[in-house]
């Protein structure tokens, strides 16, 4: 099994969106994915892209991804925000998540950002245990807030 790690391309977007939907199923929120393929492509590869991603490919098929963007903290400065790291269920446990996570972590270091941040569901023990291997701080006390314009 040879894994190729590469920067995502616009042509990958339909597959990336499939992975996002797979993650939403795993997180028990399949109806929450409402982004259109047009919006997804434009946001990553349009005139003013807001996200970047790396993909893990085996045998020409994308089986994992790490999608990120830059956020600004008034306390810490520029930080890389890891929106999603996804490895399809069939390929979990083979080190692909580590490859993707390490790639994005190294990007945050190379760019001189103050760190990397992300969210993890409190019941997702496999993910929490994975992140703890990196000496990660998992914070209590913050609640997510959002407003949707539908």
């Amino acid at each position: 099994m040879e894994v190729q790690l590469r920067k995502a391309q616009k042509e990958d977007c339909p597959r990336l969106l499939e992975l996002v939907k797979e993650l939403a199923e795993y997180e028990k929120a399949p109806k929450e994915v409402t982004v259109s393929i047009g919006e997804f492509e434009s946001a990553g590869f349009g005139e003013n892209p807001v996200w970047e991603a790396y993909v893990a490919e085996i045998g020409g098929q994308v089986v994992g991804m790490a999608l990120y963007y830059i956020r600004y903290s008034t306390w810490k400065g520029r930080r890389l925000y890891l929106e999603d790291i996804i490895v399809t269920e069939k390929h979990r446990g083979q080190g692909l998540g580590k490859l993707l996570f390490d790639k994005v972590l190294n990007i945050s270091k190379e760019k001189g950002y103050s760190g990397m941040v992300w969210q993890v569901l409190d019941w997702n023990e496999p993910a929490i245990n994975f992140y703890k291997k990196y000496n990660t701080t998992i914070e209590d006390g913050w609640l997510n807030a959002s407003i949707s314009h539908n």
Side-chain angles (χ1 to χ4, degrees):
M1 167 186 89
E2 187 173 328
V3 179
Q4 181 184 3
L5 205 60
R6 63 170 174 80
K7 192 142 184 175
Q9 302 167 4
K10 184 176 181 179
E11 298 74 35
D12 295 317
C13 285
R15 177 63 180 145
L16 299 184
L17 204 46
E18 287 175 7
L19 291 175
V20 168
K21 290 176 181 177
E22 182 178 324
L23 176 65
E25 287 281 341
Y26 177 76
E27 292 183 347
K28 301 171 180 69
K31 294 184 178 173
E32 295 298 316
V33 179
T34 59
V35 66
S36 70
I37 188 66
E39 164 57 22
F40 190 74
E41 289 176 350
S42 176
F45 299 95
E47 190 173 315
N48 295 303
V50 296
W51 62 261
E52 295 181 48
Y54 274 82
V55 299
E57 205 173 49
I58 296 176
Q61 182 180 12
V62 173
V63 297
M65 65 177 260
L67 188 144
Y68 61 93
Y69 51 89
I70 308 313
R71 65 171 277 211
Y72 190 79
S73 165
T74 56
W75 289 12
K76 304 287 185 185
R78 279 179 276 198
R79 310 200 96 192
L80 190 145
Y81 187 84
L82 178 60
E83 177 67 25
D84 282 324
I85 183 167
I86 308 166
V87 175
T88 192
E89 187 174 6
K90 178 181 173 185
H91 292 90
R92 289 185 195 141
Q94 300 174 20
L96 301 177
K98 180 173 177 16
L99 285 173
L100 289 162
F101 191 85
D102 288 348
K103 179 64 178 176
V104 175
L105 182 59
N106 286 332
I107 290 168
S108 74
K109 291 175 183 178
E110 290 166 5
K111 299 249 182 192
Y113 301 146
S114 66
M116 185 168 95
V117 294
W118 64 94
Q119 295 174 303
V120 60
L121 289 166
D122 60 0
W123 57 260
N124 192 344
E125 287 297 322
I128 291 168
N129 291 333
F130 171 81
Y131 297 134
K132 283 182 178 178
K133 294 175 187 174
Y134 287 86
N135 198 25
T136 299
T137 301
I138 298 178
E139 301 173 7
D140 290 325
W142 290 91
L143 301 175
N144 293 318
S146 67
I147 297 174
S148 295
H149 302 291
N150 294 358

